[in-house]
Amino acid sequence: MKKKILITGGTGYIGSHTTVELIEAGFEAIIIDNLYNSDADVINNIFKITGVRPHLEVLDLCDKENLKRFIGQNKDISAVIHFAAFKAVGESVIKPLDYYRNNLLSLINLLEVMKHFAISNLVFSSSCTVYGQPEKLPVTEDTPLQPATSPYGNTKQIGETIIKDTTISDINVKAISLRYFNPIGAHPSALIGELPRGIPENLVPYLTQTGYGLRDELKVFGNDYNTPDGSCIRDYLHVVDLAKAHVVAIERLTAGRNKANYEVFNLGTGRGVSVFEAIKSFEHVSGKKLKYKVVGRRAGDIEKIWADPSFANKELGWKTLSSLDEAMKTAWDWEKFIRQKKQQL
Ligand code: WQD
């Protein structure tokens, strides 16, 4: 019998890639999504990749009664992966209450309903934003957390605390928080990927849209940082590598191989890449010269951060396999795919 995994936010960027990897690893995947920031058509593309059409329940996790009804119909769920959340850093500064309400209420409802039905395994989608600008690099799981620089980041910190406290209060609950560094790229099939609404906030979708001619030029936010080429440094990892880490985390929990009831893992490559290096990688894989201009620093940006992924390497037996160029190439292929598809519509 296949183990049934519930994926909240399963039609979103990381959720859809994780759903594909779970299906390919032999799990049954069922999805809850309110389609606020994603498209039901993603299910068709998951089907094209895997030959399996996961059940999609269009449901808002803030609607607890409806959530209870749905999970009550699926009491045999072995574990939950919780992706569903608002995720735009800038927007969260403008609409903090929306972010606190949505991201925290949905998590609390989920935990309460899981408890009600004695579903005990949870993987939580966390973020390297919980570290703020760390004093020492690379970042390990023991690096002290700094105060969050945005309401979004704060919902991830508070979310982790809520989950940790729940595992302390109830020894039946087991959870893993995965702290993602910067996921980029798309599935090699180019059938699923990131679909930013409007003008992208993140570097790689902005790069690929500029390369495609949708944006005039990329603005590089600052070249006067204390880094080798003056631009900010991040740890960009391929979204498929990231998705695979969720499968390993689920296997660890469902097989009872976890070493504590609450565990945290950094998911990154261990390599810091500057904005200028990311531009070079894009130019290399696309064969295009990118138009860009250096402008002032972006408020709230961290100068440099990259992961020490050795704990995940050792404990989960997971490491990233794709290079920056490979990940960038899939981002570019995806950009071309969605633009051609939009032209056909
Ligand atoms: C990367 C670098 C920018 C756009 C993201 C998520 C955040 C969190 C962590 C999940 C920075 C520079 C960007 C542009 C640029 N993820 N840049 N021009 O800031 O690390 O945050 O990862 O929780 O939610 O947003 O990623 O892609 O926005 O920026 O020069 O047009 O690219 O200054 O140095 P960031 P990003």
Side-chain angles (χ1 to χ4, degrees):
M1 259 277 277
K2 288 185 175 179
K3 284 185 182 143
K4 190 188 275 189
I5 311 298
L6 170 65
I7 303 132
T8 77
T11 56
Y13 174 43
I14 307 172
S16 57
H17 288 83
T18 300
T19 302
V20 165
E21 296 305 318
L22 282 168
I23 293 170
E24 290 185 341
F27 289 96
E28 179 187 350
I30 58 170
I31 293 174
I32 290 179
D33 206 303
N34 65 2
L35 303 178
Y36 173 79
N37 197 21
S38 60
D39 200 316
D41 190 42
V42 166
I43 300 292
N44 296 327
N45 290 331
I46 292 174
F47 175 71
K48 282 186 197 154
I49 298 169
T50 63
V52 173
R53 188 178 294 279
H55 175 79
L56 166 65
E57 188 73 9
V58 180
L59 192 157
D60 194 319
L61 296 176
C62 291
D63 176 355
K64 189 172 168 188
E65 283 318 303
N66 218 357
L67 177 64
K68 203 167 169 184
R69 171 201 54 78
F70 178 69
I71 295 194
Q73 293 162 356
N74 291 277
K75 294 193 193 90
D76 55 341
I77 289 169
S78 298
V80 179
I81 310 183
H82 181 45
F83 291 106
F86 290 168
K87 62 168 187 178
V89 176
E91 184 186 58
S92 78
V93 177
I94 298 160
K95 301 179 181 171
L97 297 180
D98 287 4
Y99 271 68
Y100 287 116
R101 167 180 287 277
N102 184 67
N103 291 5
L104 299 179
L105 184 59
S106 56
L107 173 64
I108 293 167
N109 283 348
L110 181 65
L111 287 166
E112 285 178 347
V113 174
M114 284 174 67
K115 186 178 169 75
H116 182 84
F117 291 108
I119 298 167
S120 48
N121 298 317
L122 177 69
V123 173
F124 179 58
S125 177
S126 189
S127 159
C128 68
T129 50
V130 299
Y131 294 112
Q133 175 60 71
E135 279 167 18
K136 245 180 72 192
L137 287 164
V139 173
T140 72
E141 289 77 0
D142 296 327
T143 298
L145 306 190
Q146 307 285 347
T149 54
S150 71
Y152 163 76
N154 210 13
T155 67
K156 290 295 174 192
Q157 282 194 354
I158 299 169
E160 282 199 21
T161 306
I162 290 172
I163 294 168
K164 185 177 175 192
D165 288 347
T166 305
T167 63
I168 293 169
S169 72
D170 181 350
I171 52 157
N172 294 313
V173 180
K174 296 179 292 170
I176 293 178
S177 285
L178 299 177
R179 291 179 181 157
Y180 316 149
F181 283 67
N182 289 51
I184 61 163
H187 194 266
S189 65
L191 287 167
I192 53 171
E194 192 173 7
L195 271 179
R197 297 225 195 275
I199 300 171
E201 287 202 31
N202 295 118
L203 177 65
V204 172
Y206 210 107
L207 266 175
T208 55
Q209 288 197 5
T210 308
Y212 201 79
L214 289 172
R215 313 270 158 221
D216 292 341
E217 61 186 3
L218 172 79
K219 292 177 193 68
V220 175
F221 297 137
N223 65 352
D224 55 354
Y225 284 99
N226 181 24
T227 59
D229 67 20
S231 66
C232 290
I233 293 179
R234 297 288 183 276
D235 185 337
Y236 299 96
L237 76 160
H238 195 311
V239 68
V240 173
D241 282 332
L242 179 61
K244 287 181 197 293
H246 294 76
V247 176
V248 179
I250 285 292
E251 284 167 345
R252 182 178 176 92
L253 286 178
T254 56
R257 287 200 303 268
N258 54 307
K259 296 202 176 145
N261 280 359
Y262 181 65
E263 298 180 303
V264 175
F265 296 98
N266 282 344
L267 300 180
T269 66
R271 179 176 166 229
V273 168
S274 74
V275 177
F276 291 121
E277 285 171 322
I279 293 172
K280 275 199 203 91
S281 167
F282 173 77
E283 290 183 332
H284 175 66
V285 301
S286 68
K288 284 178 175 283
K289 196 95 195 105
L290 193 91
K291 253 188 96 187
Y292 68 84
K293 178 170 86 186
V294 176
V295 298
R297 294 181 175 194
R298 180 171 71 177
D301 254 343
I302 287 162
E303 181 171 89
K304 50 190 165 196
I305 185 164
W306 63 93
D308 176 345
S310 51
F311 187 55
N313 297 163
K314 185 169 143 271
E315 275 299 318
L316 297 178
W318 171 90
K319 66 176 177 19
T320 55
L321 298 175
S322 292
S323 67
L324 175 66
D325 282 354
E326 283 162 346
M328 194 65 85
K329 167 85 168 54
T330 62
W332 177 233
D333 289 345
W334 165 246
E335 186 69 59
K336 289 184 288 187
F337 171 79
I338 44 171
R339 296 307 148 202
Q340 279 152 16
K341 201 168 159 198
K342 284 206 168 134
Q343 272 170 10
Q344 285 159 14
L345 290 177

